[in-house]
Every structure is written in structure tokens, then in C-alpha cells.
Amino acid sequence: SLNIEHCFDRQWEGICAGTDLIIESGEINIIFSPNSTESMSYTGIELSSGTEFAIRGGTINIDASEITTEEGVFYGIAGNSTYRTEPIEISNATVNIKGPNRKITDLERFSSSFGIDSQCGDVNISNAHIYMDMGTACSAFAFAAGNRINGEELSGGNISIKDSYIECKTNGQIRKYSSYFQDIVGKEKLHFYVGEHAALQEVPFEEAFKYNDVHMGRYSRSEGQYTCFIISTEEVDSKVTAGDINGDGNVNLVDLMMCLNHVSGEETLADDAFLAADINEDGNVNLTDLMRLLNFLRGESGKL
């Protein structure tokens, strides 16, 4: 195993690959600790131009969740933004990336977070489990692939996914699309699940990712339309039961109190807990859901 921890005040990378880097086994943990300045950039694994990079086994954990400053740029795994052409390869491996949990009070103090960004290149994924939570930023992207080389030709941009599970969460305040790329190779064999709080609704590729003729005023790309999405080779069963807010397999007074605290503003539910509390599935957790849960527990209604 390799553990890298940074407590810094400038620009840092966990691993900077100036030559080919192949990871075949073991565990790598890259942790960015709270810092002392308000503007910086930090990258878990940074790849130089033309280097071969592959994760062919093991586990990679990149965690910047303790960073709370309003400005700065975070990359989990990033290629070179101008010249890189080699693909990023992830196979037979587990990758977990957590972005900063920023305190966004001023949108003019710009911040962005990227999970896996090949920049000028493709991303090839096979037999892998990938989880990315980008935290909070003005712009947040989980997957990004393809870029201009010196402002001219578009390079790469294709994502290939086989026998894998990929779950992503983003919370962009300005750029709200959660990913961008040219295309997903073999998308007709994949399942796409999307949502605003958790990815539970299966939709066609064209619903999950919208193709824009003009992306960022320059070129065409597909863009993610939901803050949460799952891409999976196999079908994914729902993990949420209506009313079971704490996920213990029961619907009881504990769940009622959690719902009450959310409605009253004392506690904010998120992800699966929010979905379980949204009993009428209208995208909100409010007094209507609370009363339905209360009536169910009092035996006045046989179903939620």
C-alpha cells in the first residue's frame, strides 16, 4: 500500500507521472488535508503528455472531501489539457474519488471539480467499480473526455465501458451538467440510471446525456443532465424503500422523526434518505409526505 497525505498552501499533486505509469495491484490512498489558503489547485494523479497510464488492478482512493475553501480546482485523475493523446485505462480495479465540500457563498470566487478527466484522450474501462462524489463546486464534472489541442482539432473524447459499475454524484452551481464527452462506445449494451438526489430511474442514453451542438461556445459534446448517474453493464436494483429513511429495513418512529426534522428545517436529508422520505415521489419532502408516514404508522392507512 501507498499512503500520500498533503497539508499544503500552494499547488500539489499526489502523484505526477512524467513517464509511463502502470498500477497492477495493491492500494493507493491520496488524501488532501485542510489547507491554509483560499485559492489553489490539487490533483490526485496528474499525467504528462503522451504517457501511458493504466490501472490494471488494486484500489485507488483519492479524497479531498475535507477541503472547504471557496476557490480552487480539484482533479481526481487528469491528463494533460493541451497535448495528451494516450487513453486512460482502468481495468480489474476499484477507484473511489471524493471532491471538496466547498462553502459556496460567492459564485464569483470560482471553483471546479473533476473526477476523471482524460483531457485530450479517451477513457477505457473494463471489469471495474468506480465511485465518484464531486462534493460542491461552481462547476463539477464526474467524467470528462476530449479537448481541443492548441485550439484546433478535437482529440479523443470517447468512453468505452465493459463489465463495470460506475456511480457519480455532482453538485455544480453554475455548470450543472455532470459530465461531458464525445460518445460512449457500446452504449446500447449498458444501463443508465439518473436522478437529482440518487440515481434510481433507468432512462435511455439520450435522456441521461444530451448532445449539444455547441459546447461551451466552441465544439459539440454530450453532457450529463442529472446530478447523479449510474452507468452499469448489469441492471441495478433499487436500494430505497419508501418510508425507511434510515435504511434499517423497518418503517418506524425513527423514520418519522427524521422526516419531521427535515420538514421543520432542523436536518437536511439527502441521497437515499431523501428518496425514501419523498413518499409521493414529487421530488420534494414536505408536510404531505410527513402526514402519509404518520397515518401509516398509526394504522390509519394500510400503505404509504
Side-chain angles (χ1 to χ4, degrees):
S1 64
L2 173 64
N3 298 313
I4 301 172
E5 184 170 354
H6 279 304
C7 183
F8 55 88
D9 59 5
R10 293 190 65 189
Q11 176 173 328
W12 285 96
E13 297 83 28
I15 297 175
C16 185
T19 184
D20 296 348
L21 174 61
I22 311 298
I23 300 170
E24 295 184 341
S25 62
E27 180 174 303
I28 297 177
N29 300 302
I30 301 174
I31 301 172
F32 293 96
S33 300
N35 47 272
S36 59
T37 64
E38 295 185 355
S39 180
M40 69 216 58
S41 63
Y42 29 95
T43 304
I45 300 176
E46 182 173 291
L47 312 172
S48 297
S49 303
T51 59
E52 180 184 1
F53 173 70
I55 304 172
R56 296 175 180 161
T59 299
I60 309 295
N61 299 311
I62 301 172
D63 189 349
S65 60
E66 292 188 14
I67 304 299
T68 60
T69 51
E70 290 196 60
E71 291 182 322
V73 179
F74 165 75
Y75 286 92
I77 299 174
N80 185 279
S81 61
T82 307
Y83 300 104
R84 178 175 177 78
T85 57
E86 295 298 317
I88 289 176
E89 175 190 336
I90 302 174
S91 60
N92 304 303
T94 298
V95 177
N96 299 303
I97 299 175
K98 295 181 180 180
N101 289 304
R102 305 180 187 277
K103 299 176 181 178
I104 305 295
T105 60
D106 184 355
L107 292 178
E108 293 185 1
R109 303 183 69 179
F110 191 78
S111 61
S112 60
S113 294
F114 296 79
I116 297 174
D117 188 356
S118 69
Q119 301 282 7
C120 301
D122 297 332
V123 180
N124 300 325
I125 299 170
S126 63
N127 194 29
H129 187 286
I130 298 175
Y131 175 80
M132 293 187 283
D133 184 344
M134 292 298 94
T136 305
C138 291
S139 297
F141 314 91
F143 264 133
N147 210 335
R148 292 275 184 171
I149 294 181
N150 294 325
E152 298 296 332
E153 298 297 325
L154 184 69
S155 176
N158 291 326
I159 298 175
S160 175
I161 301 172
K162 299 179 181 179
D163 300 322
S164 299
Y165 175 91
I166 302 164
E167 181 174 353
C168 303
K169 297 181 180 181
T170 62
N171 189 14
Q173 306 296 304
I174 297 178
R175 298 179 191 172
K176 296 184 180 297
Y177 45 86
S178 53
S179 60
Y180 60 77
F181 47 83
Q182 284 297 104
D183 197 10
I184 293 182
V185 179
K187 54 181 177 286
E188 64 278 358
K189 297 181 180 180
L190 299 171
H191 298 272
F192 301 94
Y193 300 85
V194 298
E196 294 303 325
H197 302 281
L200 291 177
Q201 178 186 4
E202 183 170 10
V203 299
F205 171 82
E206 292 75 14
E207 166 66 16
F209 305 98
K210 180 181 179 181
Y211 191 77
N212 249 347
D213 290 335
V214 180
H215 173 91
M216 296 172 61
R218 292 180 290 173
Y219 36 80
S220 302
R221 282 178 175 165
S222 293
E223 300 172 354
Q225 299 299 295
Y226 294 84
T227 57
C228 302
F229 66 88
I230 291 173
I231 304 173
S232 178
T233 306
E234 304 293 334
E235 291 188 42
V236 177
D237 293 330
S238 173
K239 300 178 291 183
V240 175
T241 300
D244 182 16
I245 300 173
N246 68 345
D248 67 351
N250 301 297
V251 179
N252 52 32
L253 187 60
V254 175
D255 303 297
L256 180 66
M257 292 306 299
M258 291 180 68
C259 186
L260 174 62
N261 289 338
H262 177 91
V263 173
S264 64
E266 296 182 12
E267 177 184 0
T268 300
L269 299 174
D271 300 329
D272 290 351
F274 183 95
L275 290 174
D278 181 17
I279 295 169
N280 65 352
E281 298 181 347
D282 67 349
N284 300 295
V285 175
N286 50 33
L287 188 59
T288 300
D289 304 294
L290 181 64
M291 293 307 299
R292 287 181 61 167
L293 183 56
L294 176 62
N295 291 337
F296 175 79
L297 293 175
R298 291 195 303 193
E300 297 181 6
S301 175
K303 62 178 182 179
L304 287 169

